[in-house]
Amino acid sequence: MTNQSPLHRPRRDQKHRHGPSSTPNRPVDSHAEALNQRIRRLDSAKRRVRLFNKVALCVATLCVGTSVFTKLSNRRRGGGGGGGASVLGEAFQPTNDTYGKKKQRNNNRLWPLFGIRHSSDHFIVPKDLLQPFGSYPNILNITTEMRQAFHPVVKIPLRKGKYDVKVEEGTCIESESQHRPFSWPWQKRNNNRNSRSNENDSSCIAALEQKMNETYDYIVKDFTGNNKNDNTVLLQRGKRVPQLVSTREEALEYAKLPKQSRKFDVGRYDEDRRGMYTSSLFLEEGSMDETNRRTVHVGLDIGAPVGTSVYAFENGIVHSVGYNAELGDYGHVIVIEHAIIEHHHRKNHNESRAKVYALYGHLGAKSIQGKYSGQTIKKGQVVGYVGNTAENGGWTGTHVHFQLAVHPPKTHDMPGAVALVDREEALMEYLDPRYVLGELY
């Protein structure tokens, strides 16, 4: 065995000089580096979340500010004086609820809750007043067939010789002897939807609606002030009195007069009745600004003799009932929640429902007897009677005020007239009653 020089003799720890001292350090460094990378990624994610929250907050603040600025600008352009938006108040009611509070409920997010498939942004209110039938927003999507299935609110008599309608050779021919049987919109003759008789039936429905004023015995009133006689009522011996009395003594006096041959008439929707609504009731409380006077009528009046029956146009339940005693108010009034049902002609026979709140005002005292909230009402049921001057709020021209609302009122009341500055928003809430009653004018 050859002795090796000490310079060439390997040391016992030579093979471990680099091994044990360097090898353990490498996994420790990689673990720390991975941990630092995770921390940096978490910090970056947190920064992105904070940035997103800041951007979302800025966008929401900008949208709210733009909405408020737009509403205030529209109010100023609409003529609201005094540096602020005019409050609609409650025409015909003694409560302190304001139209501004009603507007807060008129949010687009609420439309689906009432069964309405469209947002209010899809509907346009006409700029001019007294527009033809069909010009106003049909938010409930009431079709001609649905309207024909409704029961009349007041049964207006037919004109002489205009009794019934029969179908002959694709046209509607008026006849005194032939009676047209009632049928539901989904009921088809001979179970054939494409039959000629069904086409004729649909054409007759359209023709009937266009000829309501020619078929039924009533006149359309003008309460704008152009016809001064319409703002008064002709009593016996040629005496004319205003539509609204000024004292309760006068109301009792006119109520005691014998019944006269009162003719049926119609008071229009979206009519500026500046010459009629002259009492302080149609001004905001404590305000003397005539620009804020509530003169635009947002219901429809059906003039009829005292005691004429008033019917529910559709099934529903009583929302509220009561007596609004102030002169110019509704007197005895009933609000009914109706369910408008639209049938879809499909194999699964789907239905869509939308709620609407109908006010029947200026009724007689016996109309509210036995009525209570939650009471079930059937279509065609008598819900009241036209009241006399002492019962209906002091109106000498006895009539029923019919008004439709999209959202439920807080009590047995709705503003029957609004200021011009609030007209556009009010007509989105209080719909054209002709969509239920038909094309009366």
Side-chain angles (χ1 to χ4, degrees):
M1 185 174 201
T2 305
N3 294 331
Q4 295 181 353
S5 173
L7 297 176
H8 299 281
R9 187 180 300 170
R11 296 177 58 182
R12 293 180 180 179
D13 58 344
Q14 185 175 3
K15 61 180 179 180
H16 301 292
R17 179 177 299 176
H18 300 289
S21 61
S22 60
T23 303
N25 292 335
R26 289 177 183 175
V28 171
D29 294 341
S30 63
H31 179 70
E33 184 178 357
L35 183 61
N36 291 333
Q37 289 179 356
R38 290 188 61 185
I39 293 174
R40 285 194 295 271
R41 285 197 297 268
L42 289 175
D43 290 340
S44 177
K46 289 180 181 180
R47 286 194 296 271
R48 287 196 296 268
V49 170
R50 287 195 295 267
L51 179 61
F52 175 80
N53 291 337
K54 291 181 180 179
V55 172
L57 180 61
C58 292
V59 171
T61 304
L62 180 63
C63 292
V64 172
T66 303
S67 177
V68 172
F69 177 77
T70 302
K71 290 184 178 180
L72 292 177
S73 300
N74 291 338
R75 281 304 185 94
R76 292 192 181 99
R77 288 196 299 268
S86 68
V87 181
L88 179 65
E90 292 294 326
F92 303 140
Q93 78 169 10
T95 61
N96 293 326
D97 186 25
T98 62
Y99 186 70
K101 296 179 181 179
K102 292 181 183 295
K103 287 195 302 181
Q104 295 176 2
R105 300 196 300 270
N106 193 8
N107 191 296
N108 289 338
R109 291 175 295 179
L110 294 177
W111 293 107
L113 300 179
F114 295 89
I116 298 171
R117 298 190 297 275
H118 300 290
S119 167
S120 60
D121 295 336
H122 294 108
F123 301 99
I124 300 176
V125 175
K127 294 182 179 180
D128 298 328
L129 289 80
L130 294 174
Q131 292 302 298
F133 174 70
S135 302
Y136 296 94
N138 185 9
I139 295 176
L140 299 178
N141 302 296
I142 298 176
T143 63
T144 302
E145 289 76 13
M146 294 168 61
R147 185 160 46 254
Q148 287 293 320
F150 294 149
H151 193 280
V153 174
V154 173
K155 293 183 178 179
I156 302 177
L158 296 168
R159 296 186 186 275
K160 294 181 179 180
K162 308 285 185 178
Y163 293 101
D164 297 289
V165 173
K166 66 178 180 179
V167 177
E168 182 176 316
E169 297 181 356
T171 60
C172 294
I173 299 178
E174 299 167 353
S175 171
E176 296 184 3
S177 58
Q178 178 68 26
H179 290 272
R180 179 173 180 266
F182 174 81
S183 61
W184 295 101
W186 58 87
Q187 291 176 339
K188 302 297 182 180
R189 300 177 184 178
N190 301 325
N191 295 324
N192 184 5
R193 296 183 179 177
N194 297 323
S195 64
R196 182 182 179 119
S197 60
N198 292 334
E199 296 175 358
N200 295 339
D201 194 50
S202 299
S203 63
C204 284
I205 290 176
L208 277 175
E209 289 209 339
Q210 294 176 358
K211 296 183 178 180
M212 286 190 69
N213 198 9
E214 300 176 4
T215 305
Y216 297 94
D217 191 10
Y218 68 92
I219 60 175
V220 180
K221 288 281 190 176
D222 180 3
F223 294 116
T224 60
N226 296 328
N227 186 356
K228 295 182 179 180
N229 289 336
D230 281 348
N231 289 337
T232 61
V233 176
L234 181 63
L235 298 181
Q236 291 180 343
R237 300 178 182 177
K239 180 181 179 181
R240 287 194 173 274
V241 296
Q243 288 276 354
L244 179 61
V245 298
S246 56
T247 63
R248 297 192 179 276
E249 289 74 16
E250 289 181 334
L252 292 172
E253 178 184 352
Y254 292 130
K256 294 178 182 178
L257 294 177
K259 293 184 179 181
Q260 305 174 49
S261 57
R262 171 84 160 89
K263 293 184 178 181
F264 288 81
D265 55 56
V266 170
R268 296 174 293 183
Y269 170 79
D270 192 25
E271 181 179 46
D272 190 355
R273 300 181 173 183
R274 196 167 298 274
M276 179 186 295
Y277 298 152
T278 57
S279 68
S280 59
L281 177 68
F282 299 95
L283 280 175
E284 295 179 18
E285 186 176 357
S287 173
M288 298 302 293
D289 187 1
E290 288 294 326
T291 60
N292 293 329
R293 179 176 289 277
R294 297 184 292 270
T295 59
V296 179
H297 192 237
V298 292
L300 191 144
D301 296 331
I302 304 177
V306 175
T308 301
S309 298
V310 178
Y311 303 88
F313 76 90
E314 186 55 272
N315 296 331
I317 59 174
V318 175
H319 171 272
S320 52
V321 59
Y323 177 60
N324 299 347
E326 191 172 356
L327 287 177
D329 214 312
Y330 286 130
H332 297 87
V333 59
I334 299 173
V335 177
I336 300 178
E337 175 189 314
H338 294 287
I340 306 297
I341 302 176
E342 181 179 356
H343 297 268
H344 302 285
H345 301 294
R346 299 176 182 174
K347 293 181 180 180
N348 54 2
H349 299 288
N350 289 335
E351 292 181 351
S352 61
R353 294 172 177 262
K355 293 181 180 179
V356 64
Y357 298 84
L359 182 144
Y360 304 80
H362 306 309
L363 304 178
K366 64 179 181 179
S367 302
I368 65 174
Q369 295 177 0
K371 300 289 194 312
Y372 56 90
S373 298
Q375 182 180 7
T376 301
I377 299 295
K378 298 295 184 181
K379 182 176 72 172
Q381 177 180 339
V382 176
V383 296
Y385 306 90
V386 175
N388 61 37
T389 307
E391 300 171 316
N392 66 9
W395 299 93
T396 56
T398 56
H399 65 281
V400 56
H401 176 93
F402 182 72
Q403 185 168 334
L404 300 174
V406 175
H407 299 94
K410 287 188 175 181
T411 181
H412 47 83
D413 207 349
M414 296 178 191
V418 302
L420 280 171
V421 67
D422 298 309
R423 172 182 171 270
E424 181 175 355
E425 296 179 22
L427 296 189
M428 290 297 301
E429 171 66 23
Y430 305 108
L431 309 180
D432 187 350
R434 290 178 292 179
Y435 286 122
V436 168
L437 303 176
E439 191 175 357
L440 293 169
Y441 60 91

